[in-house]
């Protein structure tokens, strides 16, 4: 019944594949009835691909931007937009009528299938810039037309994260209820107060999805003791989910 609805994530490196695995596992743990799809790029290793095949319903290889696009972005002074462009590929998944995109650095804490009751483009506000949405979690409708418009827009403006920019695309940003997505930044202990300020939901109470925004990801931080307690509980939950998966999919010991 839900064949045309899917959760979608993206991984362009083997490390981000670790994150993608946890996204799928945490969705399944909480009993999702929707498809779970991973978009990967051709450079992802065979080993990571096989691991993703175990937990995802579909693993789709998408093009990295070609060199001409890259050259164009360099001319614009925005080479980092490569990943953004790859993310926008999710609008090409027209075999689905509605999707929920989840960054590979998110962790699902309970069943979030209710997100499919929302329409394009539903997303939580960014904790740093509340007039923009945070693109870690968003509801969208695949469409080649929207895909092309977004690519155009992104190459010209760099960002499509607010309603002024989206207006021209006839897309409207609708705000997901406060606290649905809790954005956590991994910061050093001396910046602990800053961390509390940027959490869109201070203690994570009521949060349904955790987004580990920022340069340090859970997979790059095993044994890192510089987390606050607030942060630590979610990082260890992430590792628990990752390791359970890794153990259960390992070949049986002879
Ligand atoms: N991503 C990826 N490879 C990269 C960087 C990013 O696959 O090298 C994907 C991945 O799904 C990631 C998303 O793009 O979650 C957004 O990047 P990231 O989460 O690192 O940005 P942040 O949320 O910290 O701003
Ligand atoms: Mn992210």
């Amino acid at each position: 019944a839900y064949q045309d609805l899917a959760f979608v994530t993206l991984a362009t490196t083997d490390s981000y594949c670790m994150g993608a695995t946890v996204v799928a596992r945490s969705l399944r743990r909480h009993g999702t009835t929707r498809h779970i799809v991973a978009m990967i790029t051709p450079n992802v290793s065979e080993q990571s691909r096989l691991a993703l095949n175990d937990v995802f319903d579909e693993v789709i290889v998408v093009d990295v931007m070609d060199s001409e696009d890259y050259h164009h972005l360099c001319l614009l002074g925005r080479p980092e937009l490569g990943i953004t462009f790859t993310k926008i590929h999710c609008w090409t998944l027209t075999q689905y009528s509605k999707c929920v995109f989840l960054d590979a650095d998110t962790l699902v804490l309970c069943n979030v299938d209710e997100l499919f009751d929302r329409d394009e483009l539903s997303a939580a506000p960014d904790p740093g810039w509340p007039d923009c949405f945070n693109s870690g979690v968003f509801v969208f409708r695949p469409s080649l037309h929207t895909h092309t418009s977004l690519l155009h827009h992104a190459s010209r403006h760099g960002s499509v994260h607010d309603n002024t920019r989206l207006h021209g695309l006839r897309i409207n940003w609708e705000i997901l209820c406060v606290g649905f997505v809790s954005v956590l930044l991994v910061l050093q202990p001396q910046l602990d107060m800053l961390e509390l300020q940027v959490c869109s939901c201070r203690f994570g109470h009521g949060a349904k999805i955790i987004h580990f925004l920022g340069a340090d990801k859970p997979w790059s931080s095993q044994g890192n003791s510089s987390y606050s307690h607030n942060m630590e509980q979610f990082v260890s939950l992430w590792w628990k989910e990752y390791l359970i998966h890794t153990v259960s999919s390992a070949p049986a010991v002879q």
Side-chain angles (χ1 to χ4, degrees), residues 22-114:
V22 169
V23 171
R25 286 292 295 184
S26 59
L27 283 166
R28 294 216 189 277
R29 166 175 313 285
H30 299 292
T32 184
T33 54
R34 309 323 196 244
H35 268 210
I36 312 181
V37 177
M39 296 192 300
I40 59 168
T41 45
N43 58 295
V44 165
S45 76
E46 186 65 21
Q47 197 188 353
S48 295
R49 248 180 245 209
L50 289 173
L52 294 182
N53 277 335
D54 276 353
V55 279
F56 283 89
D57 294 301
E58 213 181 335
V59 177
I60 298 171
V61 181
V62 296
D63 290 334
V64 239
M65 286 190 318
D66 61 34
S67 52
E68 210 170 294
D69 291 336
Y70 187 77
H71 180 67
H72 184 63
L73 286 179
C74 289
L75 288 177
L76 285 168
R78 303 296 305 272
E80 81 284 1
L81 280 179
I83 297 297
T84 306
F85 272 45
T86 311
K87 202 190 246 195
I88 289 174
H89 273 313
C90 70
W91 264 273
T92 65
L93 302 177
T94 51
Q95 64 271 46
Y96 299 103
S97 66
K98 197 194 279 185
C99 297
V100 173
F101 183 90
L102 295 168
D103 260 11
D105 61 345
T106 58
L107 173 69
V108 174
L109 302 179
C110 62
N111 187 295
V112 292
D113 288 357
E114 70 197 85

Side-chain angles (χ1 to χ4, degrees), residues 13-218:
T13 66
D14 286 358
S15 328
Y16 276 94
C17 284
M18 292 173 73
T21 299
V22 169
V23 171
R25 286 292 295 184
S26 59
L27 283 166
R28 294 216 189 277
R29 166 175 313 285
H30 299 292
T32 184
T33 54
R34 309 323 196 244
H35 268 210
I36 312 181
V37 177
M39 296 192 300
I40 59 168
T41 45
N43 58 295
V44 165
S45 76
E46 186 65 21
Q47 197 188 353
S48 295
R49 248 180 245 209
L50 289 173
L52 294 182
N53 277 335
D54 276 353
V55 279
F56 283 89
D57 294 301
E58 213 181 335
V59 177
I60 298 171
V61 181
V62 296
D63 290 334
V64 239
M65 286 190 318
D66 61 34
S67 52
E68 210 170 294
D69 291 336
Y70 187 77
H71 180 67
H72 184 63
L73 286 179
C74 289
L75 288 177
L76 285 168
R78 303 296 305 272
E80 81 284 1
L81 280 179
I83 297 297
T84 306
F85 272 45
T86 311
K87 202 190 246 195
I88 289 174
H89 273 313
C90 70
W91 264 273
T92 65
L93 302 177
T94 51
Q95 64 271 46
Y96 299 103
S97 66
K98 197 194 279 185
C99 297
V100 173
F101 183 90
L102 295 168
D103 260 11
D105 61 345
T106 58
L107 173 69
V108 174
L109 302 179
C110 62
N111 187 295
V112 292
D113 288 357
E114 70 197 85
L115 280 169
F116 291 92
D117 298 338
R118 305 294 301 249
D119 213 337
E120 176 169 273
L121 193 139
S122 297
D126 189 273
W129 293 273
D131 58 339
C132 294
F133 66 87
N134 182 271
S135 67
V137 178
F138 59 91
V139 182
F140 69 100
R141 283 184 179 278
S143 143
L144 296 181
H145 177 76
T146 309
H147 176 243
T148 310
S149 320
L150 282 168
L151 284 183
H152 257 87
H153 237 66
S155 60
R156 260 184 295 141
H157 304 292
S159 163
V160 288
H161 295 84
D162 69 312
N163 259 336
T164 326
R165 297 271 163 75
L166 288 175
H167 188 71
L169 304 175
R170 281 189 248 142
I171 294 174
N172 189 48
W173 167 33
E174 292 171 29
I175 300 177
L176 284 177
C177 60
V178 173
F180 195 103
V181 180
S182 189
V183 176
L184 295 183
L185 272 178
V186 181
L187 294 169
Q188 300 307 307
Q190 63 272 24
L191 296 176
D192 202 48
M193 284 313 293
L194 182 57
E195 182 205 314
L196 291 180
Q197 284 166 21
V198 299
C199 283
S200 57
C201 191
R202 186 169 174 187
F203 297 110
H205 295 323
K208 298 183 176 183
I209 300 173
I210 299 292
H211 181 194
F212 296 97
L213 185 96
D216 285 316
K217 302 305 187 192

